[in-house]
Amino acid sequence: MQNEPSKPSQISSVPRHVAIIMDGNGRWASSRKKARHSGHRAGVKSVRLSVETAAQRGVEYLTLFAFSSENWARPEDEVGRLMSLFVEALRREVDELHRNNVRLNFVGAREQLNKGLREKITEAEKKTADNNGLRLTVAIAYGGRWDIIEATKAIARRVESGSLTADAIDEAEFVKGLQLADVPDPDLLIRTGGETRISNFLLWNLAYAELWFTDVLWPEFDANEFDNALAYFASRQRRFGNTGEQVEAVGC
Ligand code: IPE
Ligand code: IPE
Ligand code: MG
């Protein structure tokens, strides 16, 4: 099954998949007496740095939380500026990502986005579809509960149509309907900005992720801080429910 957590025997000291909750843009801007949107703009540089660092360190999958289902509740002006920033960032960054062999994908409730952004997203996904370097997934209008509900609808339809029985539903069948169905589960979750919560990110997929939190605000997140997270990950013994002795016995 593609998105099962790695088994102890497959553990490497570099996470295959890193997920990041990019938080703290607004506070970064307020601390400089600037408007919140300037924090979001400053955050684009940290995205670029994270993509570069992940690729250089041998991470295969990087998933970034850019806008949650709940973020629609923010003031209209902030939401509008964020949507424009996503379009602008795609316009400016996709060629470079493509040159660097990055495959770009988006997850979330795409139908909620405006037409201009949807077009940019489709264009970026098409352009980079055959790249086999870092797989970069950006979550926009994404919520972990929404994702699980959508997967539930997909599996309910299969049962309704008679192609699957209720008793045959297992994890492998269920994950086929999740947004990250073809991506292994994150090994490491990073959250910047000092909060120690998941905020409705990948609720299913984070089941066995190592969690790493930093007070650094997203616009100040850099390669050094990324390396701190990777060092923390490398220091953990991942047991997946086994005992420490069992894990040691398989040579990790
Ligand atoms: C994260 O930064 C970006 C988004 C949620 C879109 P915030 O905008 O949440 O920044 P803070 O948490 O208010 O500082
Ligand atoms: C989480 O940050 C969502 C993203 C980073 C896109 P929030 O700032 O929205 O999270 P809460 O509201 O503090 O939990
Ligand atoms: Mg926040």
Side-chain angles (χ1 to χ4, degrees):
M1 182 167 73
Q2 254 295 313
N3 82 343
E4 261 187 348
S6 312
K7 293 288 179 293
S9 59
Q10 302 165 336
I11 291 171
S12 115
S13 60
V14 178
R16 276 187 89 191
H17 183 177
V18 175
I20 308 184
I21 302 177
M22 310 183 289
D23 196 22
N25 296 349
R27 281 165 283 161
W28 181 88
S30 305
S31 72
R32 280 164 179 70
K33 309 244 179 309
K34 292 183 181 172
R36 292 179 60 85
H37 63 85
S38 71
H40 298 315
R41 298 194 79 84
V44 178
K45 185 185 85 255
S46 304
V47 171
R48 205 179 299 127
L49 275 174
S50 300
V51 171
E52 281 167 20
T53 310
Q56 281 166 9
R57 304 295 185 263
V59 171
E60 295 171 58
Y61 302 87
L62 180 67
T63 301
L64 303 176
F65 202 8
F67 190 88
S68 73
S69 312
E70 290 72 29
N71 290 148
W72 289 117
R74 291 190 178 197
E76 210 179 306
D77 176 65
E78 180 171 346
V79 171
R81 283 175 183 270
L82 272 166
M83 296 300 143
S84 306
L85 182 62
F86 295 148
V87 173
E88 189 188 320
L90 283 170
R91 196 176 291 133
R92 276 193 281 135
E93 308 287 340
V94 170
D95 284 347
E96 176 75 5
L97 291 169
H98 186 45
R99 270 196 296 280
N100 290 324
N101 199 21
V102 172
R103 179 174 161 196
L104 187 53
N105 287 102
F106 290 81
V107 293
R110 215 171 272 217
E111 68 284 356
Q112 295 175 0
L113 306 177
N114 66 55
K115 190 158 166 278
L117 179 53
R118 285 203 311 268
E119 281 170 4
K120 278 276 159 221
I121 283 176
T122 311
E123 203 182 297
E125 287 181 332
K126 274 201 187 132
K127 185 166 198 166
T128 62
D130 295 329
N131 293 342
N132 59 11
L134 180 76
R135 170 101 177 250
L136 173 63
T137 304
V138 181
I140 299 184
Y142 175 86
R145 289 182 174 179
W146 167 84
D147 194 356
I148 291 169
I149 298 269
E150 290 301 304
T152 306
K153 284 185 200 163
I155 212 154
R157 280 187 211 107
R158 292 172 62 197
V159 173
E160 260 174 12
S161 74
S163 65
L164 187 74
T165 63
D167 283 340
I169 297 175
D170 58 11
E171 291 186 18
E173 290 301 331
F174 189 78
V175 298
K176 288 179 185 168
L178 288 172
Q179 297 280 294
L180 292 185
D182 60 341
V183 168
D185 280 348
D187 302 290
L188 171 66
L189 172 77
I190 296 173
R191 181 173 186 146
T192 61
E195 309 298 348
T196 50
R197 55 182 173 248
I198 304 292
S199 297
N200 198 19
F201 197 24
L202 300 160
L203 295 180
W204 175 286
N205 319 66
L206 290 172
Y208 263 103
E210 301 295 328
L211 309 179
W212 189 80
F213 301 98
T214 173
D215 288 337
V216 167
L217 303 171
W218 180 248
E220 283 173 351
F221 186 79
D222 59 11
N224 185 45
E225 202 56 10
F226 202 136
D227 283 338
N228 288 337
L230 294 178
Y232 169 81
F233 178 82
S235 76
R236 307 319 302 161
Q237 184 192 50
R238 304 187 76 198
R239 291 190 282 274
F240 299 102
N242 295 277
T243 65
E245 290 72 20
Q246 285 175 299
V247 175
E248 276 156 28
V250 292
C252 298

